[in-house]
Amino acid sequence: MELDLELYRYSVQVSGDPKIRLSVIDVAPENPQRTFVLLHGMGGHALQWEYQFDALTDKNRVIALDMRGHGKSDTPRGGYEMGQILRDISDVLSRIGVPERFVLAGHSFGGAIAIEYALKQPEQLSHLILIATAGKYQLSWPQKTALSLPLFLHRLLDPYTRRLLHARPVAMKAWFENMLKPWRGWDLMAGIQTPTLVIRGNRDRVFPRASFEKVAQTIPGAEDVDVGAAGHMVQLERRDLVNRAILSFVGAGRRLWRDENGDEESERNRMLARRPWLANYEDEVPYTVAIPPVPLQQLLRSAVRRFPNHPAVIFEGRRTTYRALNHRSNRLANALLGLDLKPGDRVLLRLPNGPEMLVAFFGILKAGGIPVLSPESEPGELDRQIRNTEARILIGTGGEMSAMPAGLPKSVAHYILVQNAGHARNPVQGAHSFEGLLARHPRANPEVPVDPQGVAVIIFTGGTTAKARGVMLTHYNLVANAVQNRHWLKDSKAGEERFLCVLPNSHIYGLMTGLVLPVALAGTMIQMDGFDLQRVLNAIKKHRPTIFPGIPPMYMAIANHPGVRQFNVESIKACLSGSEPLPVEVQEQFEKLTRGRLVEGYGLTEASPVTHVNPFYGQRKVGSIGLPLPSTDARIVDLAQGEETVPARQIGELEVRGPQVMKGYWKDPQETARVLRPDGWLRTGDVAQMDEAGYFRIISRRSDMWYPDKNAEPAFPRDVEEVLYEIPQVKEAAIVAIAGQPIGFVVAKGSAPPADELIAYCRRRLPPELVPRVILFVDEFPRTFIGKLIRRELAKRFEEKQGHS
């Protein structure tokens, strides 16, 4: 999968007086096998290694730097001598923590620098790779004449030569005069002791052919690879051959190759013993992923840089490009700063899906604020959350905020009213107009420093089993989960995907799959405010989405709609289903219609949210939530003590660990300590089991299970619900343990059968302790807006009924 390497770029200071910073691209997955350091030549830059990054970073750390005067590094007046360049490289590698042994590769004159480094510090290198490297750099007469021109002429020509040469004029002339012209490498090459690979093409026109052909013959024991029809930029022109040669070379090694391969095989076996699911990963899905250390809003800037005119949002006939989205979010960020927003201030964001939601979300982040999101719509609970987070600014529609029982809390200094969000527009005293603020502020990026490890979002849980808690997710958490999901969607292509965004962005599932992930892919977000079947089908027909995150009832409704094929549903190639179990009948029917893939996954707000997904094209298991995502650990621990990992197929509590796991709960250190272990393991509260192949299955919420007596095994709602579903008159069934006793709730098909008959059926099919003591019929089950059953509401209804009887 292609990487946006700019997300992995940072600066390293190598001199204080004068201050000189070199720009470095550093991509590192978890526990890399090796480290590669890549050096460009005169006029080159770090991005010329883009294909090597793609090929090597699944298992290796890869570093490429812009040397002084090149790319995005500083351009001092002096210091363009071989000794200083070598010191720059050593300083950078030391400061970014490169291990003692690494692979050094150089292109063109970068190969000459690599040779000098190998001779000076041979103990640091495991392998040396030289690409289009010459023993002497003899330029043609036109080339030498051009480089001999006065500096002022170089500066005049710089705007025209920048596309080909990525060095400033002062650097180009100094490199030529001080290093390239006097360098003689033949004698130096003879002293190299590091295992060396020489890669060259046979159509190089930059230097005489003899300058390349003798290199491998001169270096003792060097391996020579001629890739055939390639010019000077061999690693770009024949990238697949070059990458295969590199991987073969470092894999085979030179000395002790049997031990090296044996160590790798042993490490793989140890990894599979600890993470058996890795054996079932699809091809091209890496075991671990490199997470760019950037704030979340950098994903938007990446999309703008690469696809400025690509549609970012389609909403009710309006199209917003990535450039426009970026400019409008910059305007809002500047407006928020004008309202005295300070770094870390909380901003409650209450908007439906649409372009205003995205503008507000990224605008808050760019201003250094923290968006507070909540799926809650009950005014009293919303009021509590505002007071709890001490939100200073509210962004929303007039209808929601004016409906709050006591007005706005005193902590709120400003309320920004969105007039065109499609909701009620009651006036609010002292409100600012959203569009008015945008019109009065500049579109320039405010450039507020943001710590990638700092809190990006406070998002409240759905509160299905307890009081909603504010989950603190960092920029790193959310960027990590976007990268993990992007790798799992291995066939996704940047700038080409269209997401059908029906899930609300105020919920973590909708936020990740309908906002963050699409922006990470520079995809088009077909935003919809809620699931209305006919509107959704019309949107599918008109805009032809390729990716559709949702919940099972949505897929069921589409699959069962008469004449559904006329709505071009075959454009959908990938669907991720969450929130509740996905019936196999729904999966098969939907896939037959779309010819895409519909897979079940699992996540929770505390994990940004996705931790498990079934493979899209590999083995999928019915009733399973699939495999942990790359860089994610998962285990099942015993229910009694919660300390020991249980064997495969044994039931216990699911725990997860990975870069997507939250920082903690807002203002709730006790609850944070209860669910988040010091070593990073998150207790999910879900009872689950893992099979021998590493597939996980959810059994129940731990809070929903009960013990029939002190010495008994735990019982779960599903144990009883499956039996109730066998009864033809039962449409939906739910079991809630109240005071340690199973109480049944049923939605009937048509007229309700006598409760005694259902209880009698359960007596015939279940042990006595699992038979429901009472069965109540209800018209419908209370659910969250993404379809999760709220069992505590059922318990409340039972208690109210008991109180009235």
Side-chain angles (χ1 to χ4, degrees):
M1 185 200 74
E2 78 282 1
L3 296 170
D4 179 12
L5 296 176
E6 292 295 340
L7 293 174
Y8 298 84
R9 185 188 289 275
Y10 55 87
S11 294
V12 178
Q13 187 170 325
V14 294
S15 173
D17 187 20
K19 186 177 181 179
I20 302 172
R21 295 165 302 180
L22 300 189
S23 184
V24 178
I25 298 174
D26 185 355
V27 183
E30 177 188 358
N31 300 320
Q33 292 180 356
R34 296 182 179 82
T35 297
F36 287 81
V37 177
L38 312 177
L39 306 178
H40 63 73
M42 188 176 79
H45 65 146
L47 286 176
Q48 72 183 39
W49 299 99
E50 59 180 313
Y51 297 117
Q52 285 64 54
F53 275 101
D54 282 347
L56 300 174
T57 49
D58 281 359
K59 298 179 181 178
N60 307 286
R61 182 182 182 187
V62 181
I63 300 162
L65 61 153
D66 289 331
M67 288 183 265
R68 61 170 61 196
H70 289 70
K72 296 189 176 181
S73 290
D74 290 340
T75 306
R77 293 184 178 180
Y80 302 101
E81 301 85 22
M82 183 64 75
Q84 183 59 62
I85 298 298
L86 294 175
R87 285 192 294 275
D88 283 350
I89 296 170
S90 290
D91 287 347
V92 167
L93 300 186
S94 174
R95 294 181 187 187
I96 66 176
V98 171
E100 293 182 0
R101 300 274 287 175
F102 60 89
V103 180
L104 182 62
H107 170 256
S108 190
F109 195 73
I113 297 170
I115 288 170
E116 297 263 6
Y117 195 100
L119 293 172
K120 188 172 183 175
Q121 303 188 65
E123 71 285 352
Q124 291 189 356
L125 305 187
S126 64
H127 302 79
L128 177 65
I129 300 172
L130 307 175
I131 303 175
T133 297
K136 178 181 178 182
Y137 291 87
Q138 184 176 342
L139 296 175
S140 64
W141 177 83
Q143 293 169 327
K144 286 190 289 186
T145 302
L147 287 167
S148 300
L149 292 173
L151 189 57
F152 80 91
L153 286 177
H154 277 272
R155 287 172 175 155
L156 290 174
L157 294 172
D158 186 47
Y160 305 99
T161 60
R162 186 73 56 84
R163 293 181 180 179
L164 295 175
L165 301 172
H166 300 272
R168 306 292 85 76
V170 64
M172 285 288 292
K173 281 188 67 66
W175 271 55
F176 173 65
E177 295 292 341
N178 300 340
M179 293 194 293
L180 187 138
K181 187 164 66 172
W183 197 74
R184 300 292 182 272
W186 303 118
D187 292 339
L188 298 176
M189 291 176 183
I192 294 174
Q193 298 300 311
T194 304
T196 303
L197 170 67
V198 177
I199 303 176
R200 57 190 173 88
N202 59 24
R203 295 185 181 178
D204 199 314
R205 302 287 191 271
V206 177
F207 303 108
R209 187 166 180 170
S211 299
F212 302 106
E213 289 180 334
K214 296 179 182 178
V215 171
Q217 301 168 18
T218 307
I219 299 173
E223 181 177 330
D224 187 24
V225 175
D226 184 343
V227 298
H232 193 59
M233 300 301 294
V234 184
Q235 74 272 37
L236 295 176
E237 299 169 43
R238 303 302 303 274
R239 54 184 180 271
D240 292 335
L241 285 172
V242 168
N243 294 339
R244 284 198 295 270
I246 290 173
L247 289 169
S248 174
F249 174 65
V250 299
R254 273 295 179 270
R255 305 177 183 87
L256 303 177
W257 64 270
R258 294 183 182 87
D259 292 339
E260 187 171 319
N261 278 353
D263 289 344
E264 288 187 10
E265 187 64 25
S266 297
E267 176 59 30
R268 183 177 185 276
N269 291 336
R270 285 193 295 269
M271 186 182 299
L272 291 177
R274 188 166 61 90
R275 298 174 173 175
W277 53 84
L278 296 178
N280 294 297
Y281 269 24
E282 296 181 65
D283 292 342
E284 301 176 19
V285 175
Y287 294 168
T288 67
V289 294
I291 313 301
V294 296
L296 186 58
Q297 60 268 27
Q298 199 68 27
L299 298 182
L300 174 59
R301 291 173 183 167
S302 167
V304 174
R305 186 181 64 253
R306 294 178 296 156
F307 304 97
N309 298 315
H310 188 66
V313 186
I314 298 175
F315 180 73
E316 295 184 350
R318 289 185 291 159
R319 290 175 179 260
T320 305
T321 66
Y322 270 102
R323 177 184 280 121
L325 175 60
N326 188 52
H327 286 166
R328 284 171 62 80
S329 61
N330 285 345
R331 290 181 187 275
L332 182 65
N334 288 313
L336 293 173
L337 293 172
L339 296 177
D340 201 30
L341 183 79
K342 298 292 191 297
D345 280 354
R346 276 74 63 199
V347 180
L348 184 78
L349 184 52
R350 292 288 296 175
L351 291 176
N353 288 9
E356 289 81 12
M357 175 67 182
L358 277 86
V359 169
F361 182 77
F362 284 109
I364 296 167
L365 295 175
K366 290 179 178 182
I370 299 174
V372 177
L373 300 172
S374 172
E376 181 59 57
S377 58
E378 199 276 318
E381 176 61 18
L382 188 59
D383 179 79
R384 182 190 73 82
Q385 294 175 9
I386 295 173
R387 297 176 192 278
N388 176 255
T389 58
E390 299 175 327
R392 291 192 63 250
I393 299 175
L394 273 59
I395 302 178
T397 60
E400 288 181 327
M401 298 309 170
S402 62
M404 294 182 64
L408 297 177
K410 292 181 180 180
S411 66
V412 178
H414 302 280
Y415 174 50
I416 300 174
L417 176 64
V418 176
Q419 296 284 4
N420 58 343
H423 277 224
R425 301 180 183 90
N426 298 340
V428 178
Q429 186 67 31
H432 304 270
S433 164
F434 185 85
E435 290 297 331
L437 285 175
L438 265 59
R440 293 195 301 272
H441 288 83
R443 69 182 192 184
N445 184 12
E447 294 292 353
V448 176
V450 175
D451 179 9
Q453 297 295 337
V455 177
V457 174
I458 297 173
I459 186 161
F460 280 84
T461 59
T464 55
T465 58
K467 182 179 69 175
R469 294 185 174 88
V471 175
M472 295 185 290
L473 298 176
T474 66
H475 292 268
Y476 187 78
N477 292 153
L478 292 165
V479 170
N481 206 226
V483 173
Q484 290 169 314
N485 280 288
R486 184 177 173 181
H487 276 279
W488 202 258
L489 286 162
K490 63 173 189 171
D491 292 336
S492 60
K493 294 180 173 57
E496 296 184 17
E497 307 303 337
R498 297 178 299 281
F499 287 74
L500 183 59
C501 306
V502 179
L503 298 167
N505 295 148
S506 57
H507 186 276
I508 185 59
Y509 184 19
L511 180 70
M512 175 53 63
T513 61
L515 192 159
V516 178
L517 178 59
V519 171
L521 270 166
T524 297
M525 291 163 277
I526 305 163
Q527 292 273 333
M528 305 196 72
D529 181 15
F531 183 82
D532 177 273
L533 179 57
Q534 194 59 51
R535 289 178 61 233
V536 167
L537 288 172
N538 290 338
I540 292 173
K541 183 175 183 178
K542 184 175 181 180
H543 303 299
R544 302 184 66 81
T546 59
I547 299 175
F548 176 19
I551 59 177
M554 294 179 181
Y555 304 123
M556 190 181 306
I558 292 173
N560 291 331
H561 187 274
V564 67
R565 292 186 185 277
Q566 65 179 308
F567 292 96
N568 297 330
V569 291
E570 68 275 5
S571 69
I572 300 171
K573 65 181 183 182
C575 298
L576 173 60
S577 178
S579 176
E580 62 182 75
L582 175 67
V584 65
E585 295 83 4
V586 175
Q587 183 184 55
E588 291 176 350
Q589 188 176 1
F590 194 84
E591 289 189 346
K592 186 177 180 180
L593 284 169
T594 64
R595 300 180 184 174
R597 308 294 281 180
L598 170 58
V599 301
E600 184 174 353
Y602 167 86
L604 62 167
T605 307
E606 291 86 345
S608 304
V610 186
T611 63
H612 294 67
V613 186
N614 270 278
F616 277 94
Y617 297 98
Q619 182 182 13
R620 298 177 294 175
K621 294 196 174 183
V622 177
S624 164
I625 58 172
L627 311 170
L629 289 176
S631 296
T632 302
D633 266 328
R635 67 185 182 187
I636 307 294
V637 299
D638 67 283
L639 291 172
Q641 302 297 325
E643 298 298 331
E644 298 295 329
T645 302
V646 302
R649 297 194 180 277
Q650 186 169 323
I651 289 174
E653 182 175 357
L654 172 63
E655 295 191 351
V656 296
R657 182 172 63 180
Q660 71 270 51
V661 170
M662 69 172 181
K663 182 176 183 178
Y665 293 117
W666 175 259
K667 288 187 176 180
D668 200 344
Q670 287 186 328
E671 188 64 16
T672 298
R674 188 186 71 80
V675 304
L676 196 56
R677 297 180 185 270
D679 57 359
W681 285 100
L682 173 68
R683 300 179 61 186
T684 67
D686 281 313
V687 180
Q689 60 184 173
M690 182 189 78
D691 67 16
E692 292 82 358
Y695 286 79
F696 287 74
R697 185 165 70 103
I698 299 298
I699 306 300
S700 168
R701 287 293 297 171
R702 181 165 186 156
S703 57
D704 295 334
M705 73 181 193
W706 73 97
Y707 289 89
D709 60 63
K710 291 183 179 180
N711 299 320
E713 290 293 316
F716 304 100
R718 190 170 177 176
D719 297 337
V720 186
E721 291 166 359
E722 292 288 349
V723 173
L724 287 171
Y725 273 114
E726 294 173 2
I727 302 170
Q729 297 97 322
V730 173
K731 180 180 179 182
E732 290 185 282
I735 295 294
V736 180
I738 300 175
Q741 301 295 322
I743 306 299
F745 297 84
V746 169
V747 176
K749 294 179 182 177
S751 59
D756 291 346
E757 289 185 10
L758 302 188
I759 293 174
Y761 183 83
C762 290
R763 284 199 185 101
R764 296 194 296 271
R765 298 277 286 106
L766 292 167
E769 64 272 15
L770 295 187
V771 175
R773 302 302 181 260
V774 177
I775 287 183
L776 298 179
F777 289 94
V778 295
D779 293 333
E780 61 180 13
F781 286 156
R783 297 183 181 274
T784 67
F785 55 87
I786 64 164
K788 284 191 175 182
L789 176 65
I790 308 176
R791 293 181 190 269
R792 59 184 169 84
E793 287 295 324
L794 291 176
K796 187 184 297 183
R797 293 183 189 182
F798 175 77
E799 291 165 0
E800 290 172 352
K801 185 175 181 63
Q802 292 294 100
H804 293 149
S805 60

